[in-house]
Amino acid sequence: MAAEFTNNSVQTILPGQNAAFTETPVKCSNGNVTHREGSGIFTLKGRTNQCHARYRVTFNGNIAVPTGGTAGAISIALAIANEPLYSTIATVTPAAVENYFNVAVSAFIEVERCCCLNVAIENVSTQAINLANPNLIIDRVA
């Protein structure tokens, strides 16, 4: 089962904070992925007869330095239990504020049987970033 989450508004995300998702175009029909509208935290459940449940989490969106910020490198990443997954850090270096770049990351996440994990999209930059048109797809693959 797959679920898709989006946000049609440009949002400013402070360092260490999560992207918020306000729409759910495709809902998870079996309860393995839960999310409160407007929140940035998603719970993946380890409902399985195997040792673990495997999910593919795919994110893409457009990031920029907001007006008032300093042009330079900015980054966003998938976070598991409030800790960035370093292999998913996407970094761009805008030459000017409001100069948007598209970024995309993907990772497999395994959840132990009968457990849960929280995942989010986190600003891992040292300054605020703007995020436009985020799209997060969570797909249970095994």
Side-chain angles (χ1 to χ4, degrees):
M1 300 312 272
E4 179 182 25
F5 306 93
T6 61
N7 186 338
N8 292 325
S9 302
V10 174
Q11 58 185 296
T12 301
I13 307 169
L14 298 175
Q17 298 298 308
N18 300 329
F21 290 82
T22 56
E23 291 90 29
T24 309
V26 178
K27 296 182 190 279
C28 178
S29 61
N30 61 9
N32 285 333
V33 178
T34 58
H35 172 254
R36 183 178 54 81
E37 295 291 324
S39 167
I41 298 174
F42 302 84
T43 303
L44 310 182
K45 297 180 181 176
R47 291 183 185 161
T48 182
N49 292 328
Q50 308 300 316
C51 295
H52 60 268
R54 180 176 296 147
Y55 295 85
R56 179 186 314 216
V57 179
T58 304
F59 166 78
N60 72 53
N62 302 303
I63 61 174
V65 175
T67 300
T70 303
I74 53 174
S75 302
I76 198 164
L78 177 65
I80 300 173
N82 296 323
E83 182 176 331
L85 184 58
Y86 293 103
S87 63
T88 67
I89 293 176
T91 302
V92 298
T93 307
V97 299
E98 300 293 331
N99 186 6
Y100 281 87
F101 285 81
N102 184 265
V103 294
V105 298
S106 184
F108 285 107
I109 297 175
E110 295 186 345
V111 183
E112 296 298 319
R113 179 177 45 214
C114 300
C115 288
C116 296
L117 278 179
N118 289 332
V119 298
I121 301 302
E122 183 179 320
N123 174 4
V124 293
S125 304
T126 57
Q127 66 175 322
I129 64 170
N130 276 356
L131 174 62
N133 306 106
N135 182 281
L136 181 72
I137 296 175
I138 302 174
D139 190 22
R140 172 83 181 258
V141 294

